[in-house]
Amino acid sequence: GQKGSPLTFDSRAFVDAVATLTTDADADILLPTFDRVSDEPCPDRVRIRPTDRIVLVEGNYLLLDDPPWVELDHWIDAVAYLDVDRAVRVQRLVARHVHYGRSLDDANAFVHGSDERNTEVVEAVRHRAHLVISDTGR
C-alpha cells in the first residue's frame, strides 16, 4: 500500500490495544511511536499504565468506518477532526518532510501524491467526528 495509508498500519493491534485500555483495569499497554528521521514505527515506546485516567490518541484514521477501525466507536469517547485549510496543510507537510531530510522536490511530490490520497480518505469520514476544529493557519 502507499506510504501512510490505512493498510500500512497494524490496525488490528491498535484497536485491540485501545479495547484493552477500557476493559482491563490492570493492564499496562505498550504502543508504538513513529520516528520521522528513520521513517519507521518504533514499537513499545509509549506505556499507558492502569493509573492513567485520560488517554489522548491521535491519528488520521480514527474515524474510518472500515474494519477493524470502526470498532474504535466502542472504545473511544470522542474524536475531534482537525480541519486545516488545504494550502496551509500542504505548506506544513512539505516543510515537515524537508525538515526530516527530503529534498524540496521529493517533499512536494510526496505531499501532492501519497499524502493527498491519504487526505481524501480522512476527509471522506469527517462527518463521523464528534467535534470539528478549524485551523485556517492564522
Side-chain angles (χ1 to χ4, degrees):
Q2 75 190 31
K3 189 74 171 171
S5 75
L7 297 176
T8 64
F9 289 86
D10 187 351
S11 54
R12 177 78 269 153
F14 175 73
V15 171
D16 289 347
V18 171
T20 301
L21 280 171
T22 61
T23 59
D24 187 346
D26 298 321
D28 262 18
I29 307 294
L30 295 173
L31 294 171
T33 59
F34 188 80
D35 185 317
R36 297 220 174 265
V37 175
S38 69
D39 207 30
E40 294 295 330
C42 302
D44 302 337
R45 292 287 176 96
V46 175
R47 177 182 303 274
I48 301 171
R49 294 176 171 84
T51 55
D52 295 333
R53 299 195 38 130
I54 297 173
V55 177
L56 298 177
V57 178
E58 70 83 24
N60 288 335
Y61 304 120
L62 302 178
L63 295 169
L64 291 186
D65 52 7
D66 301 317
W69 298 99
V70 71
E71 295 170 33
L72 292 171
D73 290 352
H74 299 292
W75 312 117
I76 294 180
D77 293 324
V79 178
Y81 179 96
L82 179 59
D83 185 24
V84 180
D85 177 79
R86 183 184 184 282
V88 172
R89 179 177 41 78
V90 166
Q91 177 185 22
R92 289 175 180 171
L93 286 170
V94 168
R96 183 178 76 190
H97 287 300
V98 168
H99 175 80
Y100 285 106
R102 288 185 193 265
S103 70
L104 184 57
D105 287 344
D106 285 348
N108 270 302
F110 192 84
V111 168
H112 291 285
S114 180
D115 278 349
E116 280 300 299
R117 289 188 300 275
N118 294 334
T119 297
E120 291 170 8
V121 170
V122 174
E123 287 176 342
V125 292
R126 167 192 168 147
H127 66 278
R128 298 188 76 233
H130 298 94
L131 172 70
V132 176
I133 302 167
S134 294
D135 179 359
T136 61
R138 293 185 208 152

